[in-house]
Amino acid sequence: MSGQKRMSIVVFNGTVDKLYPVSIISSGAVMNDMKVDIFLTFWGLMVFRKGEPYKVQNVSKDYEAMGPAMMRMMQEKNVPSWYDTLLQAKELGDVKVHACAMTADLFDLGIEDFEPIIDDVIGVGEFVEMTGQSDSTLFI
């Protein structure tokens, strides 16, 4: 294992209020010279199907009432999309985005069905092994 610190993030949700923290935390981690492994499962994976990332506008039920105002403020202030922020994090550092094999199998999806930001399709066992080498693991 290298001396580089590592962060693992499990993404279970596909709403903008959850996807923004994933991309912002990943950016912060690479700015601090950390390696980041993101594991996308269930609804967190579905928003990475080809053509989907820029369509996502919904927020979770917890913040549903604030969603339209939040999106309007972000557009007015030219805040980059969560997806562009994650793409930028990948350009800046070592960020790997893994699709959950079980979710992909469940929905009959292959790597060719996802945006190219996805590095591979792996099983949960492989990701759990990665988390054992991480300094921190987040569930979003």
Side-chain angles (χ1 to χ4, degrees):
M1 186 167 116
S2 75
Q4 186 179 27
K5 290 196 170 207
R6 297 178 69 152
M7 176 182 286
S8 298
I9 304 174
V10 178
V11 182
F12 180 77
N13 191 300
T15 58
V16 292
D17 57 304
K18 305 292 184 180
L19 295 166
Y20 264 110
V22 172
S23 61
I24 293 168
I25 291 170
S26 296
S27 294
V30 297
M31 295 301 286
N32 283 286
D33 198 31
M34 294 178 78
K35 177 181 179 354
V36 179
D37 287 295
I38 300 171
F39 186 71
L40 306 169
T41 188
F42 285 92
W43 312 125
L45 177 59
M46 299 310 281
V47 297
F48 284 85
R49 290 175 296 166
K50 283 186 177 168
E52 293 296 316
Y54 294 110
K55 293 180 185 174
V56 177
Q57 296 289 313
N58 57 328
V59 297
S60 63
K61 290 284 183 195
D62 295 339
Y63 306 104
E64 190 173 42
M66 297 172 19
M70 179 186 82
M71 295 304 288
R72 187 176 46 257
M73 285 188 328
M74 294 178 90
Q75 287 176 344
E76 287 172 3
K77 297 187 178 200
N78 295 318
V79 175
S81 75
W82 65 269
Y83 190 69
D84 287 339
T85 303
L86 187 56
L87 285 170
Q88 186 177 33
K90 278 191 70 125
E91 291 172 9
L92 293 173
D94 191 358
V95 177
K96 298 284 188 278
V97 182
H98 312 282
C100 170
M102 187 191 83
T103 303
D105 287 346
L106 183 65
F107 292 98
D108 292 322
L109 298 168
I111 188 110
E112 67 279 0
D113 297 309
F114 298 113
E115 291 287 335
I117 196 170
I118 303 283
D119 291 292
D120 53 16
V121 179
I122 65 172
V124 69
E126 189 174 344
F127 183 72
V128 167
E129 187 176 322
M130 290 176 188
T131 64
Q133 300 169 7
S134 290
D135 297 284
S136 58
T137 301
L138 306 175
F139 185 86
I140 299 177

